[in-house]
Amino acid sequence: MRRSIVYLVGAGPGDPGLITVKGRECIKKADVIVYDYLVNVELLKAAKPGVEMIYVGKQGGSHTLEQEDINKLLVEKALEDKIVTRLKGGDPYIFGRGGEEALVLREYKIPFEVVPGITAAIATPNYAGIPVTHREFTSTFGLITGHEDPAKNESSIDWSKISTGIGTLAFYMGVKNLPYITEQLMKHGRSGDTPVAVIRWGTTFRQETVVGTLNTIVAKAKNIKPPAITIVGEVVKLRDQLNWFENRPLFGKTIVVTRSREQASEFADRLYEFGANVIEFPTIEIAKPDSIQPLDEAINTINSYDWLVFTSINGVDSFFQRLFELGKDVRVLKGLKICAIGPATAGGIEKYHIRVDCEPPKFVAESVVEELKRVTAIKGERFLLPRADIARSYLPEELQKLGGEVNDLVVYKTLMGQPKDVNILEKMRNGEINIVTFTSSSTVRNFVQLIGKENIIPLKGHIQFASIGPITTKTAEEMGIDIAIKAKEYTIPGLVNAILESTSPIDK
């Protein structure tokens, strides 16, 4: 039975969050993905391992493949009995030549489905604070190609009708022809005072909006290059009141997250919500310890301990994962008291429906010792510390000084990360990065090793470095990095708040 099918999928206008649920599912199931220039490559992360990815982008008149060759490619891959997902910017049927591709597939009797996408004419002005319809301004809206050749003898656009017959006009791909477009609209009756907005890279962190009128927009938008969309109409006046996207506090800022890939998403998502462009540059990786036997022995004798002390979410996850692998459950922890550093660690424990007995007010080892002294005798009690191989020695040493018996147990290793973004140094030198964040001492050390200390020193004053807490800050300063942004609360939300407090709004 043939399984081949081609999905013609609208990938949306640029923001990867604007793809439809069905569109993302088509990416996940594809054997082959054929994608365009305006498709956000973040969407490709949802693809299954081993998928064949083929770029067929068209940019500024330069075509990787001509349309006829793309049609042929879709047919060839489908005839190999593969599931093909054709990813197109915006919507496949709105100036995307999706209809042409669908007709070719039908000609060859290849099954296909079309998955609509959010088109730029709606999403881009939305992100620029411009509703395309508003009952106080207009109830009509038109989508027009701006890519006509002004030198051809006859236009396929009836300028006499659209100029005054439609309230809001959206011109796709019309930057180069903007003088011709404005001339035709005014020639056929549209007032020169009509508001106009030209929006480049809409819905992305690179979004740039220029506002003028039909009389002035050509001069004002002279530095705008494709891809851009032009919106003509009275609704453009609402931008000053409704400009939500570009007014977010971190809009225009590029921030590097150096956490491990497994933990980066939470931090990145928080920064993204405030408008930042986030580059994940994981300088550490979490791995199993060289030997699992000590952890197994500790779990099998867990009832001999009085306290279980977790200093990180990685320690929590590593411990419980092995507990369950050994065929046990949380009932074996009955009678054991639990201590956790920080709300994230405590939250990781509580997801297993276990109550934390001791949570120090400050999220450092020194505070753990003080809090334990307050709630228990320490002397004569047994403590199990599931931690990293590079964890500070302060906590076990202090507990032992106070008469406690401590098993400082390595349950995970912190290794050097292998970031995919190998151009990070070039981006830093070019001024494309504003802030680099550190969430542990190991992220600092590995970042310096990956980038090179000699390369970081010249960047002082051009890039801000942000730290989650005093231990991380001390490590950074020892390595010659000045920390400009310091979290008051030593957590990810605390670090985000510190970044927000230190970042002045971008001049619009």
Side-chain angles (χ1 to χ4, degrees), residues 124-135:
T124 295
N126 181 313
Y127 274 49
I130 302 168
V132 292
T133 66
H134 189 285
R135 63 181 181 175

Side-chain angles (χ1 to χ4, degrees), residues 49-171:
V51 66
E52 182 181 6
M53 295 189 186
I54 305 172
Y55 174 67
V56 294
K58 303 173 184 178
Q59 180 181 1
S62 175
H63 296 187
T64 306
L65 287 180
E66 296 294 337
Q67 186 60 50
E68 292 75 12
D69 296 322
I70 296 173
N71 297 345
K72 182 180 178 181
L73 176 66
L74 296 177
V75 171
E76 287 177 352
K77 293 299 178 181
L79 291 178
E80 292 174 7
D81 202 29
K82 292 180 178 179
I83 297 173
V84 181
T85 294
R86 171 73 169 109
L87 272 182
K88 305 174 77 68
D91 180 272
Y93 278 6
I94 299 180
F95 306 124
R97 305 189 75 169
E100 297 172 39
E101 294 173 358
L103 287 170
V104 171
L105 294 170
R106 184 179 185 278
E107 179 185 346
Y108 282 86
K109 296 182 171 55
I110 294 171
F112 69 89
E113 291 184 18
V114 181
V115 181
I118 299 176
T119 186
I122 296 172
T124 295
N126 181 313
Y127 274 49
I130 302 168
V132 292
T133 66
H134 189 285
R135 63 181 181 175
E136 292 183 11
F137 294 98
T138 183
S139 299
T140 56
F141 173 45
L143 283 61
I144 307 137
T145 179
H147 206 52
E148 277 205 323
D149 182 357
K152 69 181 184 179
N153 294 328
E154 187 176 347
S155 173
S156 60
I157 298 172
D158 191 336
W159 292 101
S160 63
K161 291 183 178 177
I162 70 163
S163 295
T164 57
I166 301 174
T168 303
L169 302 173
F171 290 90

Side-chain angles (χ1 to χ4, degrees), residues 160-345:
S160 63
K161 291 183 178 177
I162 70 163
S163 295
T164 57
I166 301 174
T168 303
L169 302 173
F171 290 90
Y172 287 72
M173 305 165 290
V175 175
K176 291 181 179 179
N177 288 340
L178 191 57
Y180 173 73
I181 292 169
T182 56
E183 177 189 352
Q184 290 300 312
L185 290 174
M186 290 187 287
K187 178 180 177 181
H188 290 88
R190 197 79 173 220
S191 169
D193 294 328
T194 304
V196 182
V198 178
I199 310 158
R200 184 172 190 249
W201 284 115
T203 78
T204 74
F205 73 95
R206 292 185 283 180
Q207 179 169 302
E208 181 181 0
T209 306
V210 175
V211 175
T213 65
L214 285 176
N215 278 323
T216 64
I217 194 63
V218 171
K220 289 190 173 185
K222 64 181 179 181
N223 294 323
I224 296 289
K225 293 178 173 59
I229 195 162
T230 302
I231 306 297
V232 179
E234 298 299 317
V235 289
V236 174
K237 293 178 179 177
L238 293 170
R239 170 174 161 77
D240 288 342
Q241 302 173 62
L242 303 180
N243 182 15
W244 61 275
F245 183 69
E246 295 169 37
N247 284 336
R248 294 183 299 171
L250 297 180
F251 181 78
K253 297 289 187 182
T254 295
I255 301 177
V256 175
V257 172
T258 57
R259 295 188 98 190
S260 67
R261 188 168 284 107
E262 296 82 3
Q263 292 182 307
S265 295
E266 176 203 354
F267 189 17
D269 288 347
R270 287 178 180 269
L271 293 171
Y272 180 77
E273 286 174 5
F274 291 106
N277 171 45
V278 180
I279 297 176
E280 293 186 16
F281 188 75
T283 61
I284 60 173
E285 290 183 6
I286 305 303
K288 290 185 176 181
D290 294 331
S291 173
I292 205 73
Q293 184 178 351
L295 175 55
D296 289 353
E297 291 175 355
I299 290 174
N300 288 328
T301 59
I302 196 69
N303 58 4
S304 68
Y305 293 93
D306 301 293
W307 282 91
L308 185 55
V309 181
F310 290 105
T311 59
S312 72
I313 188 67
N314 288 321
V316 174
D317 291 339
S318 299
F319 177 85
F320 281 98
Q321 180 181 342
R322 189 57 185 165
L323 180 80
F324 299 142
E325 288 173 352
L326 292 174
K328 302 179 186 296
D329 61 34
V330 296
R331 287 176 294 181
V332 302
L333 305 180
K334 182 180 179 181
L336 199 63
K337 292 184 281 293
I338 309 291
C339 178
I341 295 183
T345 305

Side-chain angles (χ1 to χ4, degrees), residues 387-407:
R387 306 198 301 163
D389 58 331
I390 58 172
R392 294 172 64 212
S393 60
Y394 177 88
L395 181 56
E397 287 176 355
E398 289 300 309
L399 291 176
Q400 287 171 344
K401 287 179 184 178
L402 294 168
E405 185 179 341
V406 180
N407 183 357

Side-chain angles (χ1 to χ4, degrees), residues 429-442:
R429 286 172 171 165
N430 292 341
E432 297 176 42
I433 291 171
N434 304 101
I435 300 171
V436 175
T437 62
F438 299 122
T439 54
S440 66
S441 291
S442 55

